[in-house]
Amino acid sequence: MFKLSQRSLAKLTGVHPDLAAVVARAIAITAVDFVVTEGLRTVARQRELVKAGASRTMNSRHITGHAVDIAPIIGGKVCWDWPPFHILAKAMKQAALELNVALEWGGDWRSFKDGPHFQLSHRNYPASAPLPS
């Protein structure tokens, strides 16, 4: 069983508690270790990512704390190959199901597939709703 690193836990600061709970459950059930690479983002950070082509929108769920990016750790290093992202997606989806959290995976999108990206559904978690305290 894997555990979230202090760095990953710090990246969950400001992330909606339901999504943070899904990440915490997923690390306990995944077959592949992972790290949280991004959680809550500033508008300035999002602007940088759009400019670099790493994101296509200034309407990112990261800005409101409704999204996280995770990456697999293979051989002690972050891996950006697609196959492990499917394993992480399985764990994240299972965790979301267990916790009754409506979750979307960027790898399921029809265009601009985003393997690291997981977000709370817009329908169940509107960005305008305040985060629980």
Side-chain angles (χ1 to χ4, degrees), residues 9 14 19 22 28 31 33 35 53 72 80 83-84 98 116 119 131:
L9 290 169
L19 184 52
V22 168
D33 196 7
V35 62
W80 298 106
E98 289 176 14
Q119 67 182 30
L131 291 177

Side-chain angles (χ1 to χ4, degrees), residues 38-43 45-46 49 55 60 62-64 69:
E38 296 248 10
L40 182 65
R41 284 185 193 149
T42 64
V43 172
R45 171 76 175 137
Q46 187 63 31
L49 292 170
S55 180
S60 173
H62 284 280
I63 294 170
T64 60
D69 290 344

Side-chain angles (χ1 to χ4, degrees), residues 63-74:
I63 294 170
T64 60
H66 289 85
V68 295
D69 290 344
I70 63 175
I73 303 294
I74 307 291

Side-chain angles (χ1 to χ4, degrees), residues 5-23:
S5 67
Q6 288 301 316
R7 183 172 179 244
S8 287
L9 290 169
K11 296 277 185 177
L12 292 175
T13 301
V15 169
H16 192 287
D18 289 357
L19 184 52
V22 168
V23 172

Side-chain angles (χ1 to χ4, degrees), residues 18-133:
D18 289 357
L19 184 52
V22 168
V23 172
R25 177 65 184 138
I27 195 73
I29 62 174
T30 184
V32 174
D33 196 7
F34 66 83
V35 62
V36 178
T37 59
E38 296 248 10
L40 182 65
R41 284 185 193 149
T42 64
V43 172
R45 171 76 175 137
Q46 187 63 31
R47 194 173 291 116
E48 290 172 9
L49 292 170
V50 169
K51 186 176 180 181
S55 180
R56 293 188 177 172
T57 182
M58 284 303 298
N59 234 4
S60 173
R61 302 281 282 164
H62 284 280
I63 294 170
T64 60
H66 289 85
V68 295
D69 290 344
I70 63 175
I73 303 294
I74 307 291
K77 296 181 181 180
V78 173
C79 175
W80 298 106
D81 296 332
W82 264 94
F85 283 105
H86 290 282
I87 297 168
L88 297 185
K90 181 179 177 184
M92 287 287 287
K93 289 176 180 182
Q94 178 62 40
L97 185 66
E98 289 176 14
L99 298 172
N100 197 30
V101 173
L103 186 74
E104 299 168 355
W105 177 41
D108 289 332
W109 295 342
R110 290 177 191 239
S111 64
F112 196 69
K113 291 196 177 280
D114 190 351
H117 185 87
F118 294 87
Q119 67 182 30
L120 298 173
S121 80
H122 287 274
R123 193 173 116 231
N124 296 70
Y125 294 90
S128 59
L131 291 177
S133 28

